[in-house]
Amino acid sequence: MASARVFVVFVLPVIFSIIIGTAVLSGVLQNPDRELNMWPMSFSDGLSSNTPIQIIGLSKQYSTSVPVEIQVKIGDSSFRCGDLYITIYSAGKSDVITQGGFFEQCFEENNVLPIGDSFSKVIETPGSYEIVTEMVSKDLKNISTRGTFTVK
């Protein structure tokens, strides 16, 4: 009688957990392009309205004579003050094309950054580029996002 209770209380739940877990994992593995996003705050494309940081004004394509002009919107209430860094890289490479740093950026909710300044850079070499924006708070907490564009 005691062995039947041990089986029902301890062994049977383990067997059911393994069966259900196998079914769930086999369903996930049927979609090889499915993305597992365990750290949703790390990097985003800046397009969603509920992200902690967004790039505003980034076009998908620029000519060699038109400057890349962007602003950044912070949606995370814990970032009222901090340093904003904007870096443009060659896409697929770690070559830095240009950087901008905007220090001591303190703002109210729904303001765009940089405050009292602007980020505007002309890129004269055609190609694909990646722009990364990062906000670092005074307690060294950071959020960032990235976007891509081409210059023709």
Side-chain angles (χ1 to χ4, degrees), residues 1-63:
M1 184 80 150
S3 65
R5 288 184 188 170
V6 169
F7 179 77
V8 170
V9 172
F10 294 107
V11 178
L12 199 57
V14 171
I15 292 171
F16 282 135
S17 296
I18 291 172
I19 292 171
I20 292 171
T22 302
V24 169
L25 285 177
S26 69
V28 169
L29 292 175
Q30 295 300 320
N31 299 331
D33 59 337
R34 183 175 174 145
E35 181 179 329
L36 181 60
N37 190 3
M38 294 182 68
W39 302 108
M41 288 181 51
S42 61
F43 287 106
S44 65
D45 60 2
L47 299 175
S48 175
S49 62
N50 60 357
T51 58
I53 184 171
Q54 294 178 327
I55 299 173
I56 298 173
L58 181 66
S59 298
K60 292 294 180 188
Q61 187 173 348
Y62 293 90
S63 71

Side-chain angles (χ1 to χ4, degrees), residues 68-71 86 100-102 113-121:
V68 177
E69 295 179 332
I70 67 156
Q71 292 181 314
I86 301 173
F102 304 92
L113 302 176
I115 294 175
D117 207 346
S118 64
F119 179 83
S120 178
K121 301 292 180 183

